[in-house]
Amino acid sequence: MPLSTQSQADIDQYILIASLDNARNLSNILKAISFRDHAIFNATQNGLKVTVEDSKCLQANAFIQADIFQEYIIKEDAVGFQVNLTVLLDCLTIFGGSTVPGVCTALRMCYNGYGYPLTLFLEEGGVVTVCKINTQESEEPIDFDFCSTNVTNKVILQSDSLKEAFSELDMTSEVLQITMSPSHPYFRLSTFGNSGNAHYDYPKDSDMMELFQCTKIQTNRYKMSLLKPSTKALALSCKVSVRTDSRGFLSLQYLVRNDDGQICFVEYYCCPDEEVEEE
Amino acid sequence: MDCVVTGGNVKVLAKAIHSLSRIGEDLYLEPVEDGLALRSVNSSRSAFACFLLSPLFFQRYQAASDQSFRCKMPIKSVQAVFKSLASLDRSVEKCRIQLNSETSRLTITLHCKHGLLKTHNLSFQDCESLQAVFDKESCANVLQAQPRLMVDTVLHFPPSLDEVNLSVSSDRVWLRNHVEDDADSLRAMMTELCLSSEEFDHFAVGTQTSVTFCLKELRGLLVFAESSGLPVSMYFDEPGSPVILSVTDSVLEANFVLATLSEDSHPKNHVNSDTKHPDTEQPPDDFMSDDMDSFLIAMETSELPGPSHAPASPPRPSNNRKHSFSEEEALAEGPPNKKFCSLFFGSVLPTPSQLPNQTMQSQEVLASDSEDENQTETS
């Protein structure tokens, strides 16, 4: 580990140390939720959870488990802070983010605690950069109160098929309507744009459909502008689970494999557009 | 109306639509017995394109029950249906186009791999039939080349170049960029390409001539031709008459009709060649002008409950006819002093084979250029 030039005293003062041989294993997944500048970091024994919210209607979370890190030391039960995500990403990719095989940026992320900046030690090819990013007091992320017992409909799809649909969505439509039903049309994405409407139907027996558990027909609309950022997570993922609960809240969970094949998760929660009631 | 396209033809259909999008903003769709006609025209009516897909192009072809169905819609809406062009042949198994008369929507359904079904319900507008009248057979000059040749030739001209001049002699073709002003020509970069007749699959030059037309619209056809691998035929005559580019195979026919610049009445400018006709001998066209400067596109229109139109003269103040005639230049003398005017093109009556379903209605001028005072239309 090339960043071992720090003294033991330095290391002792940190309440959180997380190291990665390949910083992309963190930066890639953070890019999937980087639709706003600010992110809430919450570190526990289990790992790192990064949350980004938009207008109290949309929340994205990225989970990077402790075992993804080459080194993960946490001295408190929970460590929370808020940073500018855009700045953090710029730092993580400070060496240019090249994808030359065998060359990657190593990262050691350190945090002293409340009031201290987040310190990043980045190294590539023998060159070390130290970044200190100011932190703010972390706000409490919204609790969407989405629990699995309340889930009415759930499907798990392979991401490839959804990727194409999302890339083609009519952006002149203000809403994306999601219909889930035990009978036809099973799983349908609809848009209502300037030129007319469009429907993307996934049958329950499609080989892209890994799981289909729909108990009753539900149609909900979500603001397109809120869901658009989720396409970044979709692009990285190999599988996605789509769940709606009895209130029409949407949960999208993406299974992402990082450069080393390890699994991380990204999830998006979105409130339904108020105007349409569930059927 | 209910048509089904399968396999590789879905991509051909998509490419035809993308090709038409380079011409105009609206797609005119008209299912006729002969096939599905997809057309577009540009706003100045100086470029028109038509793809006619024969019933054999389709797995199933059922034209509208009321023969006079036709519609237009913004071409961007239709392009959006075929967005992922590159993966179309891999992902789409079947494409169905249906008219839903109850909801007044054109429904395009793509049956894709893995059971995915994409349904687009597009709103459309009723419209008049759009058909530029042109006659390939009567053109004095016909060239045919592989699309690769044309693409490679056009590559030498900057994408921003609007107009290109094509000149032919008995054994050579020159392509040069057209510069409007003599003053500009001193400063602009001039590019000239010369191709020998041997490079063409077919080279029939009846009249040595030089025509100038818009390059941008030509590129639209070339993209299609290159992907389909079909040779491109060019039919043209004297300046002022449209140049027609055509790509044909057994199941489709594409025609791009582009206006050419007409010229001033430049007196006695190296009139050569026997096949040139003096002005007194106008071809027996319904719509012919002596005055090269004010040709108008003749668009045959038939309204839905179509009464035929009496030929209406465009509202022109004066009825003078200038007896200028088409200039055919010897190429060596260089470009004449052309007055730049909006690009219009004249048209000739279609042969019966061209428009089997259209009754020979007299042509009504829809758009006219106000620049030139001299009246052109004859009835």
Side-chain angles (χ1 to χ4, degrees), chain A residues 161 164 167-169 194-203 206-208, chain B residues 77 80-81 83-84 87 91 105 114-123:
Chain A
S161 54
E164 201 183 298
S167 70
E168 291 180 9
L169 284 180
N194 294 339
S195 46
N197 56 47
H199 305 290
Y200 287 75
D201 293 348
Y202 294 82
S206 161
D207 47 0
M208 297 300 251
Chain B
S77 324
V81 176
K83 214 181 252 193
S84 337
S87 60
S91 56
R105 290 273 192 271
H114 309 295
L116 170 59
L117 193 73
K118 301 181 191 176
T119 310
H120 294 258
N121 296 308
L122 304 174
S123 51

Side-chain angles (χ1 to χ4, degrees), chain A residues 53-64:
Chain A
E53 287 175 348
D54 186 352
S55 54
K56 308 243 178 272
C57 297
L58 180 77
Q59 181 185 88
N61 298 300
F63 295 90
I64 307 109

Side-chain angles (χ1 to χ4, degrees), chain A residues 73-87:
Chain A
I73 297 166
I74 181 166
K75 294 185 185 157
E76 289 176 17
D77 286 340
V79 174
F81 54 87
Q82 201 166 297
V83 284
N84 186 314
L85 185 58
T86 312
V87 171

Side-chain angles (χ1 to χ4, degrees), chain B residues 303-314:
Chain B
E303 283 165 6
L304 275 168
S308 65
H309 299 284
S313 302

